[in-house]
Amino acid sequence: MNNIVIGQYIPGSSFLYKMDPRSKILALILLMVTTFVLTDIIQILVLLSVLLVILKLGGIPIGRIVKGLRPIIVLLFFTFTFQVLFIKTGRIILDETLHYSFYTILLAVGVVLFWMITKRFIKFKISYFLMMIVGILSIFMYYPIGDPFAQGQLVIYTGGLQGAFFIMVRLIIIVTLSTILTLTTKPTDLTLGLEQLLKPLSIIKVSAEEIALIISIALRYIPTLLDEANKIMLAQASRGVDFKEGKLKDKVVQIISLLVPMFIISFKRSDELANAMEARNFVPGNRRTRLHILTWQTIDTITIIITAITIPVAILLRVMLG
Amino acid sequence: MITVEHVSFDYHSQPDVLKDVSFTIDKGRWVSILGHNGSGKSTLAKLIVGLLKAKEGSITVDGIVLNEETVYQVRKKVGIVFQNPDNQFVGVTVEDDIAFGMENLCFTREEITKRIDKYAKQVGMEDYLSKEPHQLSGGQKQRVAIAGILAMDTDIIIFDEATSMLDPIGRDEILAFMQQLKHQGKTIITITHDMKEAVLSDEIIDLKEGQLLTHDKTKKVLQDKVTLNKSNLELLPSLKLYHKIKEAGIVNEELRDYLWQLSLQK
């Protein structure tokens, strides 16, 4: 349990690391707004290349960004498909009739089965999945065997492709932006930055300090609770619970046998922690000094100015280009 | 100085956990509060730091009568190290945890960093300041907890079974710290059911089912066969032998003295 790293922080020393977390969070929000204001494919590609330059200068390996993109691959795929199928502007680049007959559907099912069986041996899972989709489509388009009982049209417009590409780049930019933030900022600094930025919320009686304390205690207890969960799983396994195998129904029961003790233990822990905190003079809502403070430097001001300027520029470009 | 007068306490609807307990602990003394599970010894510790409120009676710490208004003043004087090393580690890192109490007391940042260095060194954790709790052993976590209490500069430190979840090495480390702190003039209260820990202290308070059985100098308690029998304490073998020999009327001063000395070592 000694190697748990919370968050994605990787140590480094470039300018991205020296920046104040507050300015990084603000810059992230500003650039996200810009990304949404831009509607032109060239402009958004320019923004993406600027981001790549920043990555290079900031010494962040591209591989880590790609890793960050992995969870949204499904989302990317669906948005791409929907854009391609439903935007009907521009030139037609593909117009094919799809033949649905007994044999073509049988063939398609065969392809899917083949994909399901072989996918575990293939390393490039996503490309393999795309190949399967293309394979099925070409069966319907180019092998009209048997009597079709229905026919469909697959029409792809240039506008659809463009739109799909645009949305993908936009999503990639947003994920890259937030990955840069989490890669270069320690969770504790992030919490501290968030706390400072949320301070104005005290007007509506939301205590930023308490939110930050909650987050930092949660972060601190993740490894402890993971350790605990491991112990309980071992204890339950020694009583015959198998967490790996079994049907869904069994799995639910198994998870309950883990969750209930976890809940009870967590409540006990929080009670004791509350006692320990109170005994060390903690009073919620009271003023406290802070060991760690954030320092705002020139680079932070410059960053904020530059990122803030991108918004009016983006709006201007949008208006001018209609 | 802590004065406990006629204190009773119950956790709603159950029989009293503490029944009319009174004692005084003088400044600079090391006092062990002994007793079996459910004897009310941990409850007593929580009452002294004001985490629980006594049903009857009063507690006075350094002349301040503990009540809802004075509880924060009292907590500045009394620090407490709890049993579970994990459940009292508030900070994300060692440094943050030592600082926590001082942050609450609104010390200046310079003062906080100065004291972190000083007390981390005293407990031998100066190389671990940026480490996270899951990278530390139980004993190390308890040392951090002690540093956090020392940094607040409380006169009185309560160890609420602080060694019971540690391995023998960790336990001996903490015991050594207790002795060191005693020499620095701190008042120490250790709550324990470990006789090895108790023989190191100056005085013993023995609780049984919420009632005060004895309160006397450690040596006196250990020599008094009658009270020892009443309290059901798990005695060290050497002490048992000492009493057996004494009872049997065997007159060998040298052997008796030797066994007695042996009983007082950790």
Side-chain angles (χ1 to χ4, degrees):
Chain A
M1 278 284 137
N2 282 331
N3 49 3
I4 297 174
V5 182
I6 304 156
Q8 313 182 48
Y9 179 77
I10 41 172
S13 58
S14 69
F15 70 97
L16 285 172
Y17 289 90
K18 288 183 185 120
M19 279 169 67
D20 191 311
R22 284 173 293 185
S23 71
K24 279 194 263 191
I25 297 171
L26 277 178
L28 169 75
I29 296 169
L30 291 171
L31 284 176
M32 274 189 180
V33 173
T34 310
T35 319
F36 275 101
V37 172
L38 288 176
T39 47
D40 187 70
I41 188 101
I42 309 279
Q43 290 162 14
I44 209 152
L45 280 177
V46 170
L47 187 62
L48 184 64
S49 36
V50 171
L51 264 187
L52 289 178
V53 173
I54 291 174
L55 281 180
K56 189 83 198 126
L57 291 177
I60 298 171
I62 295 287
R64 291 304 294 259
I65 300 289
V66 176
K67 237 186 197 171
L69 285 173
R70 211 169 270 170
I72 64 152
I73 274 174
V74 177
L75 185 69
L76 284 177
F77 177 75
F78 277 107
T79 43
F80 189 87
T81 317
F82 275 99
Q83 293 287 320
V84 166
L85 293 182
F86 296 113
I87 295 182
K88 297 192 186 318
T89 55
R91 281 182 303 111
I92 294 173
I93 50 168
L94 186 85
D95 184 2
E96 292 289 343
T97 313
L98 302 172
H99 304 271
Y100 302 116
S101 72
F102 176 70
Y103 293 106
T104 51
I105 287 177
L106 199 69
L107 258 176
V109 171
V111 171
V112 172
L113 282 178
F114 181 75
W115 171 76
M116 281 170 79
I117 293 163
T118 52
K119 70 172 174 184
R120 70 181 69 178
F121 306 114
I122 306 290
K123 216 176 168 194
F124 306 99
K125 293 213 157 43
I126 294 148
S127 330
Y128 196 52
F129 175 73
L130 292 178
M131 272 167 64
M132 192 254 316
I133 299 286
V134 172
I136 290 173
L137 283 176
S138 30
I139 288 170
F140 286 129
M141 289 188 293
Y142 305 120
Y143 298 97
I145 35 174
D147 286 329
F149 50 80
Q151 278 184 338
Q153 249 355 73
L154 177 69
V155 191
I156 294 176
Y157 294 80
T158 45
L161 268 185
Q162 257 178 26
F165 185 65
F166 181 79
I167 296 262
M168 270 181 70
V169 175
R170 186 183 261 175
L171 277 174
I172 287 172
I173 287 180
I174 286 165
V175 173
T176 308
L177 281 171
S178 41
T179 313
I180 293 178
L181 178 71
T182 48
L183 282 180
T184 62
T185 321
K186 281 185 202 155
T188 41
D189 289 339
L190 208 56
T191 322
L192 205 56
L194 218 56
E195 178 187 336
Q196 303 283 319
L197 288 174
L198 289 179
K199 233 171 204 168
L201 287 184
S202 61
I203 300 169
I204 53 165
K205 298 245 162 80
V206 177
S207 167
E209 275 199 12
E210 272 166 44
I211 294 173
L213 189 70
I214 291 167
I215 298 174
S216 74
I217 288 177
L219 285 174
R220 179 248 167 282
Y221 273 92
I222 288 171
T224 312
L225 290 178
L226 274 178
D227 212 16
E228 201 76 61
N230 256 335
K231 269 188 214 155
I232 294 170
M233 271 162 81
L234 287 177
Q236 302 288 33
S238 73
R239 289 168 176 80
V241 178
D242 189 348
F243 284 96
K244 291 204 179 86
E245 310 282 314
K247 294 186 204 113
L248 187 67
K249 205 186 107 196
D250 300 334
K251 280 218 165 115
V252 172
V253 177
Q254 286 153 11
I255 293 294
I256 288 172
S257 77
L258 174 65
L259 280 186
V260 171
M262 281 301 285
F263 255 108
I264 294 169
I265 286 169
S266 306
F267 275 112
K268 264 194 177 156
R269 270 190 197 286
S270 57
D271 188 40
E272 283 185 25
L273 183 69
N275 272 340
M277 286 169 71
E278 253 194 272
R280 280 157 82 183
N281 296 290
F282 178 73
V283 183
N286 269 18
R287 205 180 71 84
R288 311 175 60 216
T289 44
R290 302 307 295 267
L291 173 62
H292 297 290
I293 50 165
L294 302 169
T295 42
W296 190 274
Q297 292 159 303
T298 332
I299 184 171
D300 297 303
T301 317
I302 296 169
T303 311
I304 292 302
I305 292 172
I306 294 174
T307 45
I309 285 174
T310 58
I311 296 179
V313 169
I315 294 174
L316 211 66
L317 282 172
R318 189 172 175 164
V319 172
M320 268 169 28
L321 296 172
Chain B
M1 191 170 107
I2 299 174
T3 313
V4 174
E5 279 172 304
H6 305 292
V7 164
S8 297
F9 182 83
D10 65 358
Y11 291 102
H12 308 288
S13 76
Q14 278 162 358
D16 284 3
V17 179
L18 287 174
K19 292 166 211 150
D20 194 24
V21 173
S22 305
F23 58 83
T24 304
I25 294 173
D26 289 321
K27 195 173 173 355
R29 303 290 282 176
W30 177 352
V31 180
S32 294
I33 301 181
L34 289 171
H36 285 282
N37 290 338
S39 61
K41 54 194 197 305
S42 281
T43 307
L44 195 55
K46 284 185 186 150
L47 285 168
I48 294 172
V49 284
L51 289 170
L52 295 171
K53 198 170 168 287
K55 193 175 76 173
E56 275 161 43
S58 73
I59 295 169
T60 315
V61 178
D62 274 354
I64 304 168
V65 180
L66 183 67
N67 59 39
E68 266 153 53
E69 278 113 56
T70 58
V71 65
Y72 302 116
Q73 274 170 274
V74 169
R75 281 184 194 154
K76 281 179 197 168
K77 294 180 181 296
V78 188
I80 179 164
V81 179
F82 290 94
Q83 179 179 22
N84 191 326
D86 260 319
N87 295 355
Q88 54 184 319
F89 205 107
V90 186
V92 180
T93 61
V94 168
E95 183 182 44
D96 286 321
D97 193 63
I98 299 176
F100 182 75
M102 294 188 278
E103 289 179 324
N104 293 334
L105 291 173
C106 290
F107 285 20
T108 60
R109 282 191 59 232
E110 292 73 35
E111 187 65 31
I112 292 178
T113 34
K114 217 173 78 189
R115 287 192 184 202
I116 288 175
D117 285 341
K118 183 177 166 194
Y119 292 107
K121 218 168 259 167
Q122 194 181 336
V123 300
M125 292 295 290
E126 70 270 29
D127 297 330
Y128 295 88
L129 284 181
S130 59
K131 287 269 187 287
E132 290 169 22
H134 58 89
Q135 298 168 315
L136 305 176
S137 71
Q140 287 173 325
K141 276 180 238 183
Q142 289 302 63
R143 267 148 66 186
V144 173
I146 293 173
I149 303 292
L150 289 178
M152 293 194 300
D153 203 17
T154 59
D155 298 328
I156 303 158
I157 303 177
I158 304 176
F159 291 87
D160 184 0
E161 299 194 43
T163 59
S164 66
M165 288 178 77
L166 305 181
D167 56 20
I169 298 169
R171 204 199 61 163
D172 287 347
E173 275 174 10
I174 304 299
L175 289 183
F177 277 123
M178 290 178 185
Q179 283 168 310
Q180 201 181 320
L181 294 175
K182 148 97 177 137
H183 285 301
Q184 286 174 17
K186 304 263 184 198
T187 308
I188 296 176
I189 303 174
T190 55
I191 289 162
T192 180
H193 45 230
D194 182 4
M195 276 307 281
K196 280 188 180 175
E197 201 174 313
V199 293
L200 294 172
S201 60
D202 302 326
E203 293 169 32
I204 286 181
I205 290 176
D206 192 6
L207 287 178
K208 194 181 182 186
E209 282 152 18
Q211 277 170 319
L212 189 100
L213 213 59
T214 2
H215 176 200
D216 215 328
K217 296 231 164 61
T218 302
K219 286 179 187 174
K220 248 186 178 166
V221 173
L222 293 182
Q223 261 181 341
D224 184 1
K225 187 76 185 153
V226 184
T227 31
L228 277 181
N229 275 346
K230 258 197 286 178
S231 65
N232 290 328
L233 289 170
E234 183 64 44
L235 298 181
L236 296 176
S238 51
L239 191 65
K240 270 188 202 163
L241 202 55
Y242 168 81
H243 280 295
K244 281 248 164 79
I245 286 174
K246 214 169 138 189
E247 244 168 59
I250 297 170
V251 194
N252 185 335
E253 290 291 335
E254 214 176 318
L255 179 62
R256 252 165 62 178
D257 285 348
Y258 176 68
L259 284 172
W260 175 248
Q261 288 306 324
L262 210 59
S263 314
L264 293 181
Q265 280 165 12
K266 72 169 165 170

